[in-house]
């Protein structure tokens, strides 16, 4: 279902009318395309406090490899990176204001503001206070900056371990990720790809629920990044599944993920060297308020969205089906994090996914060299959300800092970043792809 309001506000009369009426004016976001794969322009590199990331092979070198022109002053930066890892007290926190206050209006439309923070030091409550302060700062700036600009806080200790993340955030691929706090460190090995344009070359990925919607976009994006893809969906969707797989040069696997032998059948379908990327995307909704919810609605949603994720993950990990350097990306939802009337079953299943990710991540990294993360989509334009009644759909589209719904490709790009061989330092994260939805923090 096309967002006609967004198209209308993109025209001159639409802009004029909505401005006069004081209505939201969402900016059409700059997304990745083969013709325009990256931003061009200036990256303004600022700092607050004495950064531990300085040094010849530090942050400046990594930013220099993003393709943007790194400078200390810029009239119209496409991105601003403020290194606040050296913020340890109230005085250095004031340098965050001093650095960004003069430049925040000049950031280009659909641009980026990235604040780099340090992990919270529990032995130093002054450092912990001002580093935590950066979260409130970033989330507020994301809500007020407008013009399709996203704002993110990245906590890190090593700029090189964050290269794939910085490249993602400083590219059109992260158009719908805003107001997020992402931590890097303590994960698995970080492997720089031979070719950053084809990071998944030689790797095999399995995507569940790949016959349509977000799963189809994930399969297409992983294939674009060089992966051999296995597309899995229910036998009832076999025609659509074959068509998607055919278009992507992928392999179709018609299988209900809730089948008791699903893990064994996936293992049998894998190439002999195993799997590198497992994307748990299949999901269903069966909405009713709890008082009206029959047990079948509860169990079917929990079975597809959570129990089968647990079963297949366990089956693949215990049989060594995921190779060292592997990536598991599960699909949560902001409804699972914030709660939603009529969705006790769905929200329970999606909150469960977040719990699984956080608990499994350290063990999977230590025992198998595999990272485990989740994407938590907000309002994404798919058949699932097209079925939502008009008024609720319009509210879902506008109730976020970017004033519009996301596209399946936004979730797919975020998944591809988490699947990246150089994203080994990203582990146990639940990353919202929601345009900074007002639902939940
Ligand atoms: P969709 O309904 O368009 O596609 C889901 C796919 O999963 C379908 O092809 C379906 O056949 C497949 N599937 C369902 N049960 C299956 C099973 N037992 N075995 C194998 N495949 C199965 O959904 P959409 O919108 O693409 O969502 C994808 C994921 O993203 C889901 O996990 C959903 O909960 C999540 N999500 C979607 C949001 C949105 O706004 N569309 C928001 C938040 C989360």
């Amino acid at each position: 279902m096309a967002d006609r309001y967004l198209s209308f506000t993109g025209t001159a009369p639409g802009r004029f009318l909505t401005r006069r009426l004081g209505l939201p004016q969402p900016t059409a976001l700059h997304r990745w395309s083969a013709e325009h794969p990256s931003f061009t322009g200036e990256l303004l590199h600022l700092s607050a406090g004495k950064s531990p990331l300085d040094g010849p092979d530090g942050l400046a070198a990594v930013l220099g490899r993003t393709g943007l022109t790194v400078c200390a002053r810029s009239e119209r930066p496409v991105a601003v990176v403020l290194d606040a890892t050296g913020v340890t007290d109230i005085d250095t926190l004031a340098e965050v204001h001093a650095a960004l206050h003069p430049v925040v209006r000049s950031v280009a439309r659909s641009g980026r503001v990235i604040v780099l923070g340090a992990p919270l030091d529990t032995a130093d409550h002054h450092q912990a206070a001002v580093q935590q302060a950066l979260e409130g700062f970033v989330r507020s700036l994301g809500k007020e900056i407008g013009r399709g600009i996203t704002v993110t806080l990245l906590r890190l200790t090593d700029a090189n371990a964050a290269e794939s993340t910085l490249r993602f955030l400083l590219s059109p691929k992260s158009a719908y990720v805003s107001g997020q706090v992402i931590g890097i460190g303590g994960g698995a090995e970080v492997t720089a790809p031979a070719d950053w344009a084809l990071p998944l070359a030689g790797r095999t990925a399995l995507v569940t629920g790949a016959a349509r919607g977000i799963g189809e976009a994930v399969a297409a994006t992983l294939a674009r990044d060089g992966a051999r893809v296995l597309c899995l969906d229910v036998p009832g969707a076999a025609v659509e599944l074959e068509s998607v797989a055919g278009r992507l040069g992928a392999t179709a696997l018609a299988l209900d993920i809730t089948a008791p032998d699903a893990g064994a059948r996936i293992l049998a379908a894998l190439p002999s060297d195993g799997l590198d990327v497992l994307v748990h995307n299949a999901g269903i909704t069966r909405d009713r308020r709890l008082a009206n919810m029959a047990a079948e609605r509860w169990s079917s949603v929990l079975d597809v969205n959570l129990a089968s994720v647990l079963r297949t993950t366990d089956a693949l990990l215990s049989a060594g089906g995921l190779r060292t350097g592997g990536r598991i990306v599960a699909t949560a939802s902001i409804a699972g994090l914030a709660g939603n009337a009529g969705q006790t079953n769905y929200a329970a299943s999606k909150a469960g996914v977040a719990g699984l990710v956080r608990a499994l991540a350290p063990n999977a990294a230590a025992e198998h060299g595999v990272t485990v993360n989740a994407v938590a989509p907000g309002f994404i334009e798919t058949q699932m959300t097209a079925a939502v009644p008009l008024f609720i759909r319009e509210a879902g589209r506008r109730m976020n800092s970017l004033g519009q719904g996301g596209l399946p490709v936004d979730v797919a790009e975020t998944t591809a970043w988490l699947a990246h061989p150089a994203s080994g330092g990203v582990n146990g994260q639940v990353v919202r792809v929601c345009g900074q939805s007002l639902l939940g923090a």
Side-chain angles (χ1 to χ4, degrees):
M1 190 76 57
D3 185 347
R4 295 212 179 88
Y5 182 82
L6 176 62
S7 315
F8 178 60
T9 55
T11 65
R15 261 195 304 277
F16 174 76
L17 197 67
T18 48
R19 195 176 307 125
R20 291 296 292 268
L21 294 173
L23 292 171
Q25 294 193 294
T27 297
L29 302 179
H30 177 170
R31 291 186 166 89
W32 184 94
S33 68
E35 298 74 43
H36 302 287
S38 46
F39 289 136
T40 47
E42 293 181 329
L43 185 168
L44 183 56
H45 178 184
L46 305 171
S47 59
K50 172 84 188 80
S51 170
L53 304 177
D54 287 343
D57 192 28
L59 178 62
V62 173
L63 295 179
R65 293 197 287 271
T66 61
L68 292 163
T69 310
V70 183
C71 25
R73 280 172 190 278
S74 172
E75 294 287 311
R76 174 64 71 201
V78 72
V80 179
V81 173
L82 171 70
D83 180 357
T85 50
V87 166
T88 50
D89 55 21
I90 292 290
D91 289 341
T92 42
L93 182 62
E95 293 178 27
V96 171
H97 170 269
L100 287 179
H101 164 72
V103 302
V104 76
R105 273 207 192 95
S106 63
V107 181
R109 292 177 90 78
S110 217
R112 301 283 182 269
V113 175
I114 299 170
V115 177
L116 306 180
L120 269 53
D121 182 351
T122 46
D124 177 353
H125 60 282
H126 287 250
Q127 190 270 6
V130 294
Q131 282 294 328
Q132 184 82 50
L134 294 175
E135 296 192 12
F137 173 83
V138 157
R139 292 204 168 107
S140 299
L141 185 59
K143 289 186 177 180
E144 70 183 36
I145 194 164
R147 292 178 292 127
I149 300 164
T150 66
V151 187
T152 312
L153 174 64
L154 194 59
R155 292 203 187 280
L156 74 171
T157 50
D158 173 3
N160 287 290
E163 180 158 350
S164 61
T165 304
L166 283 163
R167 285 180 184 245
F168 169 67
L169 292 174
L170 290 167
S171 81
K173 295 176 176 175
S174 57
Y176 203 60
V177 178
S178 191
Q180 299 306 295
V181 180
I182 298 165
I184 313 261
E189 202 176 315
V190 174
T191 312
D195 178 355
W196 281 89
L198 283 174
L200 297 178
R203 292 179 184 238
T204 304
L206 173 82
V207 183
T208 71
R212 67 179 205 191
I214 294 171
E216 178 183 358
V218 171
T221 304
L222 300 183
R224 175 204 68 189
D225 283 357
R228 284 185 304 260
V229 181
L230 275 86
C231 297
L232 182 153
D233 213 298
V234 286
V239 174
E240 296 93 323
L241 184 66
E242 287 290 349
S243 139
V244 169
R247 196 162 44 76
L248 301 178
T251 305
L253 186 56
L255 170 65
D256 187 328
I257 199 68
T258 63
D261 62 346
R265 288 173 61 189
I266 290 172
L267 280 164
L270 293 179
S272 54
D273 53 356
L275 190 64
D276 299 284
V277 181
L278 170 61
V279 182
H280 294 292
N281 162 80
I284 59 169
T285 51
R286 296 285 182 273
D287 298 355
R288 280 284 187 284
R289 285 179 183 265
L290 182 62
N292 303 325
M293 187 183 291
E296 191 280 328
R297 281 186 183 263
W298 174 271
S299 57
S300 56
V301 168
L302 266 293
D303 203 18
V304 177
N305 297 4
L306 183 57
S308 71
V309 176
L310 287 161
R311 275 195 303 266
T312 355
T313 301
D314 289 353
L316 288 182
L317 281 179
S318 62
L322 268 155
R323 296 204 293 179
T324 304
R327 307 276 181 258
I328 298 175
V329 184
T331 308
S333 159
I334 58 163
L337 309 180
N340 201 17
Q343 292 199 312
T344 51
N345 52 356
Y346 183 75
S349 71
K350 296 300 189 178
V353 165
L356 150 72
V357 161
R358 293 194 181 111
L360 180 60
N363 297 340
E367 287 172 28
H368 305 279
V370 168
T371 63
V372 189
N373 293 286
V375 287
F379 184 97
I380 306 294
E381 306 278 359
T382 63
Q383 291 187 28
M384 196 185 252
T385 48
V388 171
L390 176 68
F391 181 72
I392 301 175
R393 188 165 69 235
E394 253 320 281
R397 277 177 174 149
R398 303 303 152 221
M399 278 171 48
N400 59 74
S401 297
L402 299 173
Q404 58 198 288
L407 300 181
V409 72
D410 297 322
V411 184
E413 295 287 12
T414 308
T415 305
W417 152 60
L418 294 169
H420 199 288
S423 295
V426 189
N427 197 24
Q429 304 287 307
V430 179
V431 182
R432 292 159 160 257
V433 187
C434 66
Q436 196 179 20
S437 169
L438 297 182
L439 289 179

